[in-house]
Amino acid sequence: MAAEIQPRPKARKPCLLSKIEAFQEVVTAAAIIPKEDGVISVSEDRTIRVWLKRDSGQYWPSVYHTMQSSCSCMSFNPETRRLSVGMDTGSICEFILSEDYNKMSPALTYQAHQGRVVVVLFVLEMEWLLSTGQDRNFTWHCSESGQQLGTYRTAAWVSGLQFDVETRHAFVGDQSGQVTILKLEQDSCSLVTTFKGHTGNVTALCWDPVQRVLFSGSSDHSIIMWDIGGRKGTAIELQGHNDKVQGLCYASHTRQLISCSSDGSIVIWNMDVTRQETPEWLDSDSCQKCEQPFFWNFKQMWDSKKIGLRQHHCRKCGQAVCGKCSSKRSTIPLMGFEFEVRVCDSCYESITDEDRAPTATFHDSKHNIVYMQYEPTTGNLLTSGTDKVIKIWDMTPVVS
């Protein structure tokens, strides 16, 4: 049911430790159990399973529980051993796991949403259970009484959720590409601000309360770091994936960001460098280098008797340029461009070999990732793929 992998030592890449299989459908969410060789998983096949590592090195289910509908998401709190499972029906079912993780007892059921639960988040400090659903409602309940405390209607259904205990701010990312910050009270909430930088859906959020930065991943393949604590509106873009970003986790002790994507890549970003914001793209009716008219500039085309050209933009300076004046390509890692992008000829000459030094490392998980979770106490990363397999990785060779 699960195989133990013997990794090669001293490899500067994630080491595959174990694979857990035997699922009928995709695992929608899972969590590594800290201080235990164990994993909790929920799946579209309607099962909740607790996997414990045996002396043989293989993972076997110590708990196998079948629900009435598909399990869409989960939140696990190791301190209380409380497991909150979001359902396809809109309800959230809570369980308490025994100390030896061999038994699971039902606790509460919340009738939270009218549609599939997308994200569930248990906040021990507040005794709140936060959740979002495809009904476009963000709700929070009292985890002691099960009573709904409040709800907020979003413009699009929410696909990312994080919470800051100190300020009681909820960060809500939705399918329109927008991130909303809400200030939560015991029975009400107020809108703090909204910001949008993605052209696709927000698919993942990660909040670091120490640096006070929010990371958002999107179906547009990009990641944006929002400097909330700096109060200057700084937004740093990271481009390193070829498909939808499925998960984000920030290792604050090493200042590294881990991101996973549907393309199967695991990317480790060095955030302990001085990064630069990408420039705004400038508007112009003609090339800002050679002054040749763009194809919609009929007057200049007629006056100069020249054919209009297609407009491009230099990713380093943001100027509007023609193809001839931007024939070069370069990486610009400090601007987040780990892949080669279009730059104008003058910017290309200004980029040094030092400027091109990578600030991220790329690794292939060999399955299309739909979910990830990083456990900093062990340095292990869990990925779930469309192949219905959970993989557990030792990240200490690269996150250190």
Side-chain angles (χ1 to χ4, degrees):
M1 299 182 78
E4 182 180 30
I5 313 297
Q6 295 296 331
R8 294 178 180 176
K10 298 182 181 180
R12 294 293 298 171
K13 62 180 181 179
C15 297
L16 181 60
L17 300 176
S18 298
K19 288 164 54 171
I20 304 176
E21 300 174 289
F23 297 99
Q24 300 300 312
E25 298 291 343
V26 171
V27 174
T28 50
I32 297 169
I33 304 172
K35 301 179 182 178
E36 292 277 347
D37 279 330
V39 169
I40 303 170
S41 66
V42 299
S43 172
E44 294 283 3
D45 66 10
R46 301 188 294 125
T47 63
I48 302 172
R49 308 188 204 189
V50 179
W51 304 82
L52 296 180
K53 194 173 187 180
R54 306 305 184 189
D55 293 338
S56 64
Q58 294 186 331
Y59 284 87
W60 288 86
S62 62
V63 173
Y64 187 110
H65 184 81
T66 303
M67 303 295 287
Q68 291 185 342
S69 66
S70 297
C71 306
S72 55
C73 56
M74 62 166 268
S75 176
F76 176 63
N77 180 261
E79 191 173 333
T80 60
R81 300 188 307 281
R82 182 192 297 258
L83 176 65
S84 309
V85 181
M87 307 301 297
D88 194 50
T89 58
S91 62
I92 299 171
C93 300
E94 279 196 341
F95 303 88
I96 303 296
L97 290 161
S98 62
E99 289 188 31
D100 61 4
Y101 290 96
N102 283 307
K103 185 180 178 182
M104 188 172 72
S105 304
L108 283 172
T109 298
Y110 307 80
Q111 301 303 324
H113 297 278
Q114 298 299 313
R116 181 181 174 93
V117 182
V118 181
V119 186
V120 61
L121 182 62
F122 173 63
V123 184
L124 176 62
E125 295 86 347
M126 309 301 301
E127 294 184 344
W128 285 352
L129 185 72
L130 315 182
S131 64
T132 68
Q134 288 186 352
D135 58 0
R136 295 192 298 168
N137 283 333
F138 162 62
T139 67
W140 62 106
H141 289 75
C142 173
S143 61
E144 294 299 302
S145 66
Q147 178 183 355
Q148 181 175 304
L149 300 175
T151 185
Y152 180 86
R153 182 80 169 171
T154 56
W157 64 272
V158 174
S159 43
L161 176 64
Q162 291 282 276
F163 184 73
D164 180 55
V165 174
E166 182 183 341
T167 61
R168 294 189 182 184
H169 285 163
F171 304 95
V172 178
D174 65 38
Q175 293 286 293
S176 73
Q178 179 175 279
V179 177
T180 302
I181 302 181
L182 301 171
K183 170 80 170 181
L184 299 192
E185 302 296 347
Q186 190 64 25
D187 56 1
S188 65
C189 74
S190 55
L191 175 64
V192 178
T193 188
T194 60
F195 40 88
K196 185 172 182 178
H198 292 290
T199 57
N201 310 335
V202 175
T203 51
L205 288 179
C206 176
W207 168 248
D208 176 47
V210 179
Q211 302 292 328
R212 304 203 68 76
V213 294
L214 179 73
F215 297 94
S216 61
S218 172
S219 60
D220 64 11
H221 311 173
S222 73
I223 300 165
I224 298 178
M225 183 187 81
W226 308 89
D227 185 3
I228 307 295
R231 299 182 182 276
K232 294 181 180 179
T234 305
I236 302 297
E237 194 170 338
L238 305 174
Q239 298 278 0
H241 289 287
N242 292 311
D243 207 335
K244 175 169 62 175
V245 178
Q246 293 284 39
L248 297 168
C249 182
Y250 185 65
S252 58
H253 61 294
T254 60
R255 300 196 69 170
Q256 289 171 289
L257 177 71
I258 306 170
S259 62
C260 294
S261 168
S262 296
D263 61 13
S265 63
I266 301 172
V267 183
I268 317 298
W269 304 84
N270 177 12
M271 303 308 296
D272 196 21
V273 293
T274 303
R275 293 189 176 272
Q276 305 165 20
E277 283 190 280
T278 52
E280 293 286 338
W281 284 6
L282 302 177
D283 292 325
S284 180
D285 291 328
S286 58
C287 175
Q288 294 181 297
K289 295 296 182 181
C290 68
E291 300 184 350
Q292 283 269 71
F294 293 134
F295 66 84
W296 60 83
N297 189 352
F298 297 116
K299 185 178 186 305
Q300 188 178 344
M301 288 164 57
W302 178 265
D303 292 344
S304 61
K305 302 295 188 292
K306 291 180 179 178
I307 297 174
L309 303 176
R310 183 182 173 189
Q311 177 183 259
H312 302 281
H313 284 91
C314 172
R315 300 307 193 270
K316 190 173 190 298
C317 68
Q319 288 192 320
V321 290
C322 67
K324 185 177 179 182
C325 293
S326 59
S327 60
K328 305 288 176 52
R329 303 290 183 274
S330 176
T331 60
I332 322 174
L334 292 178
M335 280 189 169
F337 297 115
E338 293 288 338
F339 301 149
E340 289 192 341
V341 291
R342 181 186 295 271
V343 292
C344 67
D345 292 353
S346 56
C347 280
Y348 182 84
E349 295 301 324
S350 72
I351 300 172
T352 65
D353 289 342
E354 186 179 350
D355 294 333
R356 293 188 178 92
T359 61
T361 58
F362 298 81
H363 312 278
D364 185 8
S365 70
K366 300 191 184 302
H367 68 165
N368 299 326
I369 297 171
V370 298
Y371 183 84
M372 66 157 275
Q373 186 247 344
Y374 176 68
E375 179 47 56
T377 61
T378 60
N380 288 348
L381 177 77
L382 178 152
T383 59
S384 168
T386 56
D387 56 0
K388 307 171 189 176
V389 173
I390 290 174
K391 295 184 179 182
I392 301 171
W393 308 82
D394 177 11
M395 300 298 288
T396 54
V398 287
V399 180
S400 59

